[in-house]
Amino acid sequence: MAGDTRMARKVVLLLWAQTLGLAGAQTTQLLVDPPWTPAVLWDQVTLTCQGSGTTGATTWYKDGQYWGQEGRDNITVMESGTYMCDRPGSGCSPSVNVSEDKLVLQVPARALLQGETMTLRCRYRQDISVHSVFFYREETELRELHNGTQFSLTPLQLNHTGRYHCRAWVSQGWEKSALVTVTVNVPVANATITLSPLAHQLRPGDPVTLHCSVQVGSAPVTFTWLHNGQEVAQGPLLELGDVDVGHSGTYQCVATNQLGGHQAFSPELALKVTPWGHRDTVATGVGWALFFLVLLVDVIVVWHWWHRVAARKNQERGPPESLAPLEEGEVLYTHVVSTKQAQWPPPVSLPQEPRVTYMQLPGPHRRPREPSDISEVVL
């Protein structure tokens, strides 16, 4: 009795975790043959449990209670109810309902995806003939058939999600089926990775978290992380913690619609963790470049300042004094002061005495002038 209580508690916990999306990457599936839901007893239903773990290590549950059947991967159902199976390492499967109602509305026993075709069929016990079949979504009539028991909706859209039932005339009168919930799933698409915190370059010791998300996709969605092409983790978050050089490389996440088996691959994200020494060397090189740039600017400013001072002094000196008109035949001696080309930086010592050059200008009859007649002009 105590063992049954523990098993029932385990089932409740598994269902609760599955509902909240805490069961992780669920891979256990319960296949039904014939592949219609709800299944019906008169079809001789066979259930097969598929999942990871040791072959033959399957546990079965019926109506939320431990059902036994240990070690069997498939069973033939003899009673109506709700069935599940559990495989070590992959968890509990979704439930399958087996009905014994007189009139049932059946839909395909698989994930129904947007854009596909869904066939609905209204069946009476032992497939006894029915007449005037009506199909409904919620309380809206979809189709009336006087010859046939099934019709298709295509292509499926999100607004086709809802509860369906059928009503049929049989020899005893009108019968109405139970409600069947139909969910239209959207395949996953446009997976992306977000880096937190945002950084173009990472240093050893930086805390880094990667988050994977999809633009569209019906739950449940599972995420798998690849580092340099190798699987490293599962779940929407990949926490690298304090990174080091070994975390460098490419990261990619793969999003999967668990019900439909569809996958979406994100673009690869390249991370590079730069050692501290490399960053210090780069910073030092940048510092020396800035130092030489500032020094060059200072040299240019000082050179322009000195050039302006020299030009101002030449202007203050003014033109040489004007000479009296020379008579014909006079000799002019000139006193020429030569200056050196400006140098940079300017010399510290005082300039030397100017070099004097005399030039004799002969007059008429080549008669020299007396020394008292010499005029001196300093340039």
Side-chain angles (χ1 to χ4, degrees):
M1 185 69 179
D4 292 344
T5 302
R6 287 194 297 270
M7 285 295 179
R9 186 177 304 160
K10 179 181 178 183
V11 172
V12 173
L13 290 175
L14 286 172
L15 289 174
W16 180 67
Q18 179 181 344
T19 303
L20 296 180
L22 302 177
Q26 177 182 328
T27 57
T28 301
Q29 297 295 324
L30 185 54
L31 306 182
V32 57
D33 183 33
W36 294 89
T37 186
V40 291
L41 281 178
W42 68 80
D43 278 340
Q44 226 175 5
V45 177
T46 300
L47 301 179
T48 302
C49 190
Q50 290 186 348
S52 62
T54 305
T55 302
T58 302
T59 303
W60 292 89
Y61 304 92
K62 179 179 179 291
D63 298 328
Q65 302 293 326
Y66 171 66
W67 193 45
Q69 308 293 332
E70 296 288 349
R72 299 179 59 184
D73 293 332
N74 58 79
I75 60 172
T76 299
V77 178
M78 305 301 295
E79 299 177 355
S80 62
T82 301
Y83 294 83
M84 292 188 303
C85 69
D86 178 72
R87 292 291 296 270
S90 56
C92 205
S93 72
S95 62
V96 170
N97 181 34
V98 179
S99 172
E100 60 177 353
D101 294 342
K102 293 180 180 180
L103 186 70
V104 295
L105 174 69
Q106 291 183 315
V107 297
R110 58 178 174 80
L112 299 172
L113 300 180
Q114 185 179 27
E116 293 184 339
T117 298
M118 177 180 68
T119 298
L120 300 93
R121 62 181 188 175
C122 190
R123 300 175 63 198
Y124 193 72
R125 179 180 298 180
Q126 304 298 334
D127 286 334
I128 297 175
S129 297
V130 296
H131 307 281
S132 299
V133 178
F134 292 84
F135 293 89
Y136 299 85
R137 183 171 67 86
E138 304 299 344
E139 298 301 326
T140 302
E141 180 181 323
L142 297 177
R143 181 69 58 87
E144 176 185 0
L145 297 178
H146 296 285
N147 184 18
T149 60
Q150 66 182 38
F151 89 102
S152 299
L153 287 175
T154 186
L156 281 179
Q157 302 296 332
L158 290 178
N159 59 7
H160 289 137
T161 297
R163 296 178 300 175
Y164 291 76
H165 73 277
C166 67
R167 191 165 63 94
W169 176 265
V170 293
S171 58
Q172 296 87 353
W174 288 101
E175 295 284 349
K176 180 181 178 180
S177 72
L179 293 173
V180 176
T181 300
V182 171
T183 301
V184 179
N185 298 280
V186 180
V188 289
N190 300 332
T192 57
I193 298 176
T194 304
L195 176 66
S196 178
L198 293 176
H200 296 289
Q201 193 172 25
L202 300 176
R203 298 176 296 176
D206 289 345
V208 175
T209 300
L210 303 181
H211 178 260
C212 185
S213 60
V214 292
Q215 185 176 12
V216 294
S218 299
V221 178
T222 59
F223 299 92
T224 302
W225 289 94
L226 305 178
H227 179 216
N228 295 330
Q230 301 296 321
E231 181 177 340
V232 293
Q234 291 186 342
L237 293 179
L238 178 60
E239 296 183 359
L240 300 180
D242 297 338
V243 297
D244 54 32
V245 178
H247 288 104
S248 297
T250 59
Y251 290 84
Q252 190 176 32
C253 73
V254 183
T256 305
N257 259 115
Q258 182 180 343
L259 296 178
H262 290 256
Q263 293 182 328
F265 290 80
S266 73
E268 290 186 344
L269 175 67
L271 291 184
K272 182 178 181 181
V273 181
T274 305
W276 281 98
H278 177 76
R279 176 170 289 191
D280 292 344
T281 302
V282 173
T284 302
V286 173
W288 278 109
L290 292 176
F291 171 76
F292 284 113
L293 179 62
V294 173
L295 181 61
L296 177 61
V297 172
D298 289 342
V299 169
I300 294 174
V301 171
V302 173
W303 186 87
H304 278 284
W305 171 82
W306 181 86
H307 183 73
R308 293 175 61 184
V309 170
R312 187 179 301 112
K313 288 185 176 181
N314 289 335
Q315 292 177 357
E316 292 176 353
R317 179 178 298 170
E321 295 180 0
S322 55
L323 301 176
L326 297 178
E327 297 180 359
E328 183 179 0
E330 289 184 337
V331 177
L332 175 63
Y333 292 90
T334 60
H335 183 188
V336 181
V337 178
S338 65
T339 60
K340 295 183 179 181
Q341 184 179 2
Q343 299 180 0
W344 180 255
V348 178
S349 59
L350 295 175
Q352 299 178 359
E353 289 296 327
R355 185 173 57 189
V356 180
T357 301
Y358 293 93
M359 179 173 61
Q360 182 177 7
L361 301 178
H365 308 291
R366 307 187 67 85
R367 181 178 62 82
R369 295 289 295 171
E370 295 297 329
S372 60
D373 297 329
I374 296 175
S375 295
E376 184 179 72
V377 178
V378 179
L379 300 179

